[in-house]
Amino acid sequence: MVTIGYAVTMTVLSIRFKRPGAYERLKRDAARRAESISSVGERLIDEGLRMEAHPGIVFRDGPSGRRAALAAGPDVWEIAGLLRGLRGSVEERVADAAIQLSLTESQVRATSRYYAEFTDEINAEIALNDDIADRELAAWENERRLLSG
């Protein structure tokens, strides 16, 4: 099992909302997620800064929580995992991954740059997926063994 730990430091920030409805949308989103307004606001600010620094990257909800993904493509961890498994120069790996995933080389580069900045986070997502895949494979193999004879 992979866990991600963070040092707990708190910085207080006071925000004045000037855009009509922004605070109400934030409150509704926090209520829908059963989270505090502060935690949703912090997440949205962090994700917004990451998306601004890494064009083409967005964030999605899913069974394993929120994760970075290509705007019109797979999750970053999926592409990073493929890139790690390929051989050759960086250029060759990017080209191979683009072909295998039917993406442009620019899309693959966007994910590799995001991966370079948030390596530990993406590696944890890859490890979590590997653990789940191993458990599912073992369950499938056990089922086949039990039911085959």
Side-chain angles (χ1 to χ4, degrees):
M1 181 86 184
V2 175
T3 57
I4 301 174
Y6 296 96
V8 178
T9 58
M10 293 183 63
T11 303
V12 176
L13 170 67
S14 176
I15 298 177
R16 295 183 194 277
F17 289 88
K18 293 181 181 178
R19 294 177 188 227
Y23 180 68
E24 288 72 23
R25 288 191 300 276
L26 179 61
K27 277 188 355 184
R28 279 194 306 272
D29 193 50
R32 181 178 60 83
R33 295 174 178 279
E35 295 180 33
S36 72
I37 293 170
S38 292
S39 66
V40 172
E42 177 185 14
R43 178 181 52 75
L44 291 173
I45 289 168
D46 183 44
E47 290 176 1
L49 292 169
R50 289 178 185 212
M51 289 188 299
E52 206 167 74
H54 298 278
I57 300 296
V58 298
F59 290 84
R60 294 189 186 122
D61 287 320
S64 62
R66 287 196 59 88
R67 68 241 187 257
L70 279 175
D75 292 349
V76 169
W77 69 264
E78 294 174 287
I79 299 166
L82 175 61
L83 286 168
R84 287 188 339 181
L86 294 172
R87 298 290 170 245
S89 69
V90 171
E91 292 74 21
E92 290 169 333
R93 290 178 184 200
V94 167
D96 288 349
I99 291 167
Q100 288 186 39
L101 298 170
S102 299
L103 298 171
T104 66
E105 289 186 23
S106 295
Q107 288 174 303
V108 175
R109 284 233 180 255
T111 61
S112 66
R113 288 187 180 115
Y114 185 89
Y115 179 45
E117 185 170 347
F118 299 101
T119 307
D120 291 343
E121 181 180 303
I122 301 304
N123 282 343
E125 291 175 1
I126 292 169
L128 176 61
N129 183 69
D130 289 346
D131 288 346
I132 292 169
D134 290 345
R135 283 195 309 271
E136 290 297 317
L137 178 60
W140 180 84
E141 288 172 341
N142 191 41
E143 177 185 36
R144 295 288 172 249
R145 182 182 55 77
L146 290 171
L147 298 177
S148 67

